[in-house]
Amino acid sequence: MRNFRSLGIAACAAIALSAGCVKGCGGREVSVGLGGDLGVQVKLDVRSLMNGLRVIMIEDRASPIVSYQSWYRVGSVDEEPGKTGLAHLFEHLMFKGTEKYPAKQFFMQLEAKGAEVNAYTTRDYTVYYENLLPELLPKAIEMEADRMLNLKLDEETLQTERLVVLEERRLRTDNSPDGRVTEAMWAQAFRVHPYGWPVIGWPRDLVQLKLEDLVSFYREHYQPANAALVIVGNFDPKATFELIERHYGSLKSGPRPERKIPAEPEQQEERRMVLRDRVQGQKLAWGYPVSSADQDDSYALDVLANILFSGTSSRGYRRLVEEKDLALGVSGSAYTPTYPGLMVIQVMMKGGLAAELAEAELANLFSEVQSAEVTAEEISVAVRQLTVQTIDSVRTPQGLAQLVGVVNSVFGNPQRVSEDIQKYLKVTAADVKRVAQKYLVPNRRTVVTLVPGDAS
Amino acid sequence: MKTALRLAIGFFAAGFALSASAAGFQLPTPKIEKLPNGLTIVWFAGEKLPVVDFSLLVRAGYRDDPAGKSGVSELVAATLDRGAGGMTERQIAREIEKLGASRSATTGDDSFVLGLHGLSIDGERLLEMLSILALKPTFAESEVRKEHTRLKDRWSRLGDYSENLAALAYHRWMAADTVYGRGSFLSMKEFDAVGPTDVVAFHKRHFVPERAVLVLVGRLDEAKTRGWVEKHFGGWAPGGAEAASAAFKYRSPLVPKADERGTVVVVDRPGLTQAQVRIGWHAPAIKSPEHYPLVVGNSILGEFFHSRLNSLIRDKLGLTYGIGSGVTHAMELDTLSISAATQNDQVGKLLVKTREVMKELGSQGVSPEEVAQAREYLRGSFALGTATLGAVASRWLGGYLFGLGPDYLNEFVPRISAIQAPEVSAVFAKGFAFERAAIVVAGDAKLVVPVLKAAGFPKVRVLTAQQFM
């Protein structure tokens, strides 16, 4: 399953294109087959408004609900040093109301009628979603269009929401051993690229963000040309698109913001950090820089990660947990987002054992996949696992909308969802060996170890 | 936090075709059959995607651990796939994972679920593997010992996470004097007394067809699947009628007694900058006439973003990232719980403000407008929560085990729609005085305790994670 995200939010997978067609009204309707020959089809209806807003619709009358998702191509990569956490804090403020729909109206108008209303921010994009009964869809469209350009921001709201975000940070990172390890890993691995700072932001920056920072951020990034709507479920595409045209069509859009992201220089040395916390056992995390999602290496990396770490029959689990009895658990996956990402391996050490023991075994494992090809059966198992994960990820309208949204956001083309299974099927043992040799290089490794001790 | 049935129900999550939409929909009800050996088969067929979930539920859980040997059911769950039907642990793992499938074994207060999830085309092999794991586990002594050691290692780390600490202490308090009083395990010392013979005995006693329900969810060919069920489960020998356990009630000496309400239990974990808070009461049972008024009342209190708790404590005061309430049910324990996390120096204020909310609910009740809104919320969220076949199956099974009848799910919306404000107000007036609440805070005691005392909570009992293990 392709990992496009990197903030502990569920990752997504992709599906295979089986046929395509173009229809009128400027729309492009594409029939997509799920999971190769497993016999499930969905139709992507892709359109654009004159102001640049992209609309992607998938009608599924078998579902009793609709997922309406607004995807903005803005995340923590669009921040600058000293203003980290801006994208996420702003996401909170998007629920604070407009002139037409004052604060809490999103909840009064939609959540109070059973809709699930929420949002999340990642390094690359920000998503606002409503999972709701079909009868609520027109109101969701109207309210999302309204807050795209008419949000009201004030100092008092900012102050309160800043406190909430600081509590969120304490919850997810400061008081979470796992959160601390993850934050340290990305900060050590990315010293120039914005992936190095946490999406939630550094506390010293959060307390200094000013209202004008947020207003400026809003004006630059929240506009039709920088957004896409993804709608999946029980709705009428024609009537829905008419509603979207009515509410979004008149919104003026500036130019799509150009991203000027500094590239991360190639890592030339192993980086190490030791964290201490009041924990009962050691934890180890290894990170290696890997490709971005749009590189075909990402498919071989996913297959490699599955062979090494997916399931209790994987090579990594067998070696560290069962054979050497060093660890209680091991996991690993390749995060390949919009820009070059990170393959992260995490090991929960058995009580009383030092992380160095796992390091030696991991090094042996990696050496093995670099020196000899994995078996055809291992590749077959990995691809089968990825196929099931892909199907599982689209079992709900919100899951399918999320998949299409992330593919559109990362690749700029929602029809790219069609390619992944086919590309996984083409991965060879030689590809796996090649990416292992290319990316699992000791002097590009970042190592974070969590050991029992005083966190202060 | 949503209203939940505290059952270990499998990992269903399938999409399905629902014939009608929105308000008036009728949820699918399953076909129920029984094999001659007493095994109940529940069918939820109709998935649009080519996947299946097969789960075997056994009516046995923590409550059924023998006296002095809590943790047995957890050890059974950990050991079932460590060898079965002549296959080694490694062979089992490979056999399932090569299908791209996944497996789970979970135990809870009242029930135990073994589940397999994979592609429909692998249905027969998945069902066969489920029967092998459930009916033919080897329980080799070396494997049981290995998992015993691993479970102890994992449990020793519960204190690494403040939310686990809070949950552990809170459960011990709320479950005191019930058959769930020991939790999943009472202590390392007691678990040390558990061995392979206990695992074998638990399995033999409880894994019998008369106490089991096989739930089949997904894209299924019913005729073929029925044949596979008969082939792989038809030979399961009945266990007889005596299987029910002699569950007994237990009270941890650590938690305050009934006449010590008002005491705040602080579980100390030095170094934390944020404390986890749990507040709770025993609640009306799921079959009680007060159940549906409580479901509506819980929504108003803390289930959705616009609830009273969240509006005041997060949205207005910025004290927490999230505060919520929920109603949970086990066969013999029902609770209303509030959960939040806040920085150490705000714990007192959070409790004071929560007390104000509860006091206002108890003395002034709720308005008809709030109840109307909550009804609408519940109607809509119920539709969302049952939008997949797996979700329907999971909820249906919960009701089935509570003996709520086959139409339980389709009665939910009409029952909720009939609730009026006076009924909700009466529930709050009667049962949920803040002074009678169990209050647990997991955090840095040297920082939290002075804050609590300054806020008017003088009775504080400081405990450690080790004391709970």
Side-chain angles (χ1 to χ4, degrees):
Chain A
M1 182 163 65
R2 311 208 59 196
N3 290 308
F4 294 108
R5 299 192 196 174
S6 50
L7 188 65
I9 303 170
C12 287
I15 49 184
L17 182 68
S18 62
C21 64
V22 179
K23 76 173 200 176
C25 306
R28 178 169 172 74
E29 189 174 88
V30 180
S31 178
V32 173
L34 288 175
D37 58 356
L38 290 169
V40 179
Q41 297 282 318
V42 295
K43 284 183 182 174
L44 282 173
D45 185 346
V46 185
R47 308 178 189 211
S48 291
L49 301 188
M50 292 296 287
N51 57 19
L53 178 68
R54 176 169 282 179
V55 182
I56 306 162
M57 297 181 286
I58 301 173
E59 180 186 7
D60 176 9
R61 294 295 184 148
S63 171
I65 64 170
V66 183
S67 185
Y68 186 79
Q69 304 192 353
S70 306
W71 288 69
Y72 290 90
R73 196 188 63 125
V74 60
S76 62
V77 290
D78 300 292
E79 299 162 352
E80 57 187 89
K83 293 184 180 177
T84 67
L86 182 55
H88 173 254
L89 176 58
F90 180 79
E91 173 228 297
H92 278 234
L93 295 175
M94 276 286 275
F95 291 91
K96 297 305 178 182
T98 65
E99 192 71 41
K100 185 174 182 182
Y101 292 107
K104 297 185 181 178
Q105 286 301 303
F106 251 91
F107 302 105
M108 297 291 285
Q109 301 274 347
L110 297 175
E111 196 210 20
K113 294 172 181 169
E116 184 185 359
V117 180
N118 215 326
Y120 57 86
T121 307
T122 74
R123 292 182 164 88
D124 295 331
Y125 48 84
T126 305
V127 185
Y128 301 83
Y129 63 89
E130 292 85 32
N131 301 320
L132 35 67
L133 294 173
E135 69 212 43
L136 297 174
L137 182 58
K139 183 57 72 178
I141 291 171
E142 183 189 350
M143 295 182 75
E144 284 290 5
D146 184 39
R147 72 173 168 175
M148 182 181 276
L149 290 185
N150 300 319
L151 188 69
K152 279 176 65 180
L153 295 167
D154 62 62
E155 193 64 44
E156 185 183 350
T157 305
L158 169 60
Q159 297 307 339
T160 304
E161 212 55 31
R162 193 198 315 266
L163 294 174
V164 170
V165 169
L166 287 166
E167 286 296 341
E168 183 180 358
R169 199 193 139 80
R170 289 186 190 99
L171 182 73
R172 296 193 195 280
T173 306
D174 300 340
N175 292 279
S176 164
D178 295 333
R180 291 183 62 211
V181 169
T182 299
E183 186 170 278
M185 168 60 70
W186 286 78
Q188 290 297 312
F190 294 92
R191 294 184 173 174
V192 174
H193 192 279
Y195 282 174
W197 58 73
V199 174
I200 201 165
W202 300 118
R204 61 177 180 271
D205 295 342
L206 282 169
V207 297
Q208 290 182 7
L209 289 174
K210 296 182 171 56
L211 188 60
E212 50 264 38
D213 296 324
L214 291 143
V215 171
S216 167
F217 184 86
Y218 179 46
R219 288 184 180 147
E220 182 179 1
H221 296 286
Y222 282 73
Q223 49 181 309
N226 205 38
L229 305 178
V230 185
I231 309 120
V232 178
N234 192 341
F235 68 100
D236 177 349
K238 183 170 182 292
T240 299
F241 188 71
E242 285 172 5
L243 269 179
I244 288 170
E245 279 187 312
R246 185 190 311 162
H247 291 292
Y248 291 89
S250 61
L251 301 183
K252 299 252 184 316
S253 186
R256 193 177 199 209
E258 188 182 345
R259 280 179 159 168
K260 295 174 184 168
I261 311 294
E264 182 72 19
E266 186 171 291
Q267 188 171 334
Q268 301 289 352
E269 74 295 328
E270 185 184 73
R271 298 169 184 169
R272 287 186 167 267
M273 174 177 256
V274 177
L275 300 175
R276 289 185 168 73
D277 208 336
R278 291 176 187 269
V279 292
Q280 294 299 308
Q282 294 199 10
K283 289 192 173 188
L284 170 71
W286 272 14
Y288 293 91
V290 291
S291 73
S292 53
D294 59 353
Q295 301 298 307
D296 279 357
D297 278 359
S298 63
Y299 300 95
L301 281 164
D302 285 342
V303 172
L304 170 65
N306 267 53
I307 289 170
L308 288 173
F309 301 115
S310 181
T312 62
S313 66
S314 65
R315 289 192 184 199
Y317 191 90
R318 300 312 306 172
R319 182 71 55 83
L320 273 79
V321 179
E322 295 295 344
E323 294 166 14
K324 300 295 179 180
D325 203 16
L326 298 175
L328 293 178
V330 57
S331 63
S333 56
Y335 294 104
T336 50
T338 303
Y339 302 94
L342 206 59
M343 181 160 170
V344 178
I345 299 98
Q346 301 202 59
V347 182
M348 183 195 292
M349 298 302 297
K350 196 174 170 187
L353 297 186
E356 286 82 0
L357 296 168
E359 290 202 63
E361 289 304 327
L362 283 174
N364 289 338
L365 272 175
F366 290 179
S367 176
E368 288 161 18
V369 291
Q370 288 166 332
S371 59
E373 290 185 355
V374 298
T375 66
E377 191 206 355
E378 286 181 302
I379 291 185
S380 168
V381 170
V383 173
R384 188 64 171 263
Q385 290 172 331
L386 290 159
T387 302
V388 175
Q389 290 164 15
T390 297
I391 293 173
D392 285 343
S393 74
V394 299
R395 290 170 85 177
T396 61
Q398 52 268 41
L400 181 54
Q402 184 175 303
L403 165 65
V404 172
V406 74
V407 169
N408 179 66
S409 176
V410 171
F411 298 107
N413 176 11
Q415 289 152 23
R416 209 27 221 269
V417 301
S418 63
E419 295 182 11
D420 280 6
I421 293 292
Q422 302 302 337
K423 292 203 171 188
Y424 284 132
L425 287 168
K426 289 179 181 169
V427 171
T428 65
D431 293 330
V432 174
K433 182 179 175 184
R434 180 181 55 76
V435 296
Q437 291 173 336
K438 180 177 177 182
Y439 295 106
L440 303 181
V441 179
N443 66 2
R444 291 185 204 147
R445 180 165 59 216
T446 298
V447 181
V448 178
T449 311
L450 179 73
V451 301
D454 189 340
S456 60
Chain B
M1 197 188 309
K2 307 283 184 186
T3 301
L5 302 174
R6 277 179 37 181
L7 291 165
I9 297 171
F11 57 114
F12 312 115
F16 73 112
L18 191 67
S19 55
S21 66
F25 67 76
Q26 279 284 308
L27 294 173
T29 51
K31 188 184 296 180
I32 304 173
E33 299 170 348
K34 218 165 191 127
L35 294 187
N37 59 9
L39 176 64
T40 301
I41 316 293
V42 176
W43 297 82
F44 278 96
E47 162 76 57
K48 66 186 177 189
L49 293 175
V51 287
V52 289
D53 291 286
F54 297 150
S55 294
L56 185 75
L57 183 144
V58 175
R59 294 173 191 262
Y62 305 147
R63 59 181 292 159
D64 302 295
D65 286 344
K69 293 192 172 182
S70 63
V72 175
S73 63
E74 286 279 14
L75 190 53
V76 172
T79 320
L80 274 177
D81 68 351
R82 304 294 300 182
M87 302 169 76
T88 66
E89 162 271 327
R90 181 176 191 161
Q91 289 169 329
I92 289 169
R94 199 57 172 173
E95 191 63 25
I96 293 170
E97 289 169 11
K98 79 178 185 188
L99 305 174
S102 53
R103 63 195 186 281
S104 66
T106 54
T107 181
D109 288 331
D110 298 301
S111 58
F112 190 110
V113 175
L114 183 61
L116 282 173
H117 164 69
L119 294 174
S120 300
I121 53 173
D122 298 318
E124 178 171 19
R125 187 61 179 145
L126 292 170
L127 209 47
E128 183 180 10
M129 288 305 297
L130 182 65
S131 76
I132 288 172
L133 294 178
L135 311 186
K136 301 173 184 171
T138 309
F139 294 134
E141 179 164 352
S142 59
E143 295 294 339
V144 176
R145 297 280 180 212
K146 188 184 285 184
E147 287 305 313
H148 187 281
T149 303
R150 287 176 178 169
L151 272 177
K152 283 187 68 177
D153 202 342
R154 288 183 184 281
W155 288 342
S156 74
R157 299 167 198 233
L158 284 173
D160 292 359
Y161 299 89
S162 55
E163 58 267 39
N164 290 343
L165 273 184
L168 180 63
Y170 178 71
H171 182 267
R172 287 282 166 81
W173 192 346
M174 294 305 296
D177 293 323
T178 75
V179 294
Y180 316 111
R182 295 174 296 165
S184 58
F185 77 106
L186 181 61
S187 66
M188 296 292 190
K189 187 179 172 189
E190 199 169 270
F191 190 55
D192 281 339
V194 174
T197 54
D198 300 303
V199 169
V200 172
F202 186 98
H203 182 265
K204 185 179 178 188
R205 182 184 185 100
H206 298 292
F207 278 63
V208 294
E210 302 95 318
R211 289 172 68 80
V213 181
L214 178 62
V215 187
L216 308 169
V217 181
R219 186 188 283 182
L220 302 166
D221 178 321
E222 289 194 36
K224 281 185 183 172
T225 308
R226 186 168 289 104
W228 301 336
V229 168
E230 287 168 358
K231 179 178 173 186
H232 298 300
F233 288 91
W236 192 2
E242 68 82 33
S245 308
F248 63 93
K249 296 179 178 177
Y250 178 82
R251 178 181 195 87
S252 167
L254 296 171
V255 303
K257 296 176 184 146
D259 59 358
E260 295 176 306
R261 290 286 164 131
T263 300
V264 178
V265 167
V266 174
V267 191
D268 186 24
R269 188 175 180 280
L272 291 176
T273 59
Q274 186 184 60
Q276 291 279 344
V277 179
R278 302 288 182 274
I279 304 163
W281 301 261
H282 289 152
I286 198 166
K287 288 183 175 177
S288 153
E290 293 171 314
H291 170 66
Y292 286 102
L294 177 61
V295 170
V296 173
N298 173 61
S299 301
I300 295 167
L301 172 63
E303 189 170 325
F304 55 91
F305 200 85
H306 191 56
S307 65
R308 288 197 182 194
L309 285 171
N310 207 63
S311 292
L312 175 66
I313 292 172
R314 170 181 157 143
D315 223 27
K316 184 174 177 184
L317 300 173
L319 290 177
T320 182
Y321 173 58
I323 183 166
S325 66
V327 183
T328 58
H329 304 283
M331 301 296 271
E332 297 182 38
L333 176 64
D334 309 273
T335 59
L336 171 67
S337 307
I338 294 170
S339 171
T342 189
Q343 57 188 309
N344 294 322
D345 61 5
Q346 298 293 337
V347 169
K349 187 174 182 183
L350 186 140
L351 288 180
V352 167
K353 292 297 174 185
T354 303
R355 182 170 62 194
E356 286 176 14
V357 170
M358 295 308 297
K359 195 170 181 180
E360 191 176 5
L361 277 171
S363 60
Q364 298 173 32
V366 297
S367 70
E369 293 75 22
E370 281 181 301
V371 170
Q373 186 182 71
R375 287 195 305 248
E376 201 165 8
Y377 162 77
L378 286 164
R379 183 182 70 87
S381 63
F382 183 77
L384 252 64
T386 52
T388 65
L389 188 60
V392 174
S394 192
R395 287 190 181 216
W396 182 90
L397 187 57
Y400 176 77
L401 292 174
F402 280 99
L404 295 176
D407 292 326
Y408 156 65
L409 283 186
N410 282 317
E411 289 170 356
F412 182 85
V413 170
R415 295 289 293 269
I416 289 295
S417 301
I419 299 300
Q420 302 297 322
E423 299 165 84
V424 180
S425 299
V427 166
F428 279 119
K430 182 178 164 188
F432 304 109
F434 196 84
E435 292 68 27
R436 293 178 46 246
I439 305 173
V440 172
V441 177
D444 190 331
K446 70 177 182 300
L447 300 173
V448 167
V449 172
V451 171
L452 286 171
K453 292 190 172 177
F457 298 91
K459 292 191 284 183
V460 177
R461 179 177 298 180
V462 179
L463 299 166
T464 64
Q466 286 68 35
Q467 286 177 277
F468 282 101
M469 292 187 230

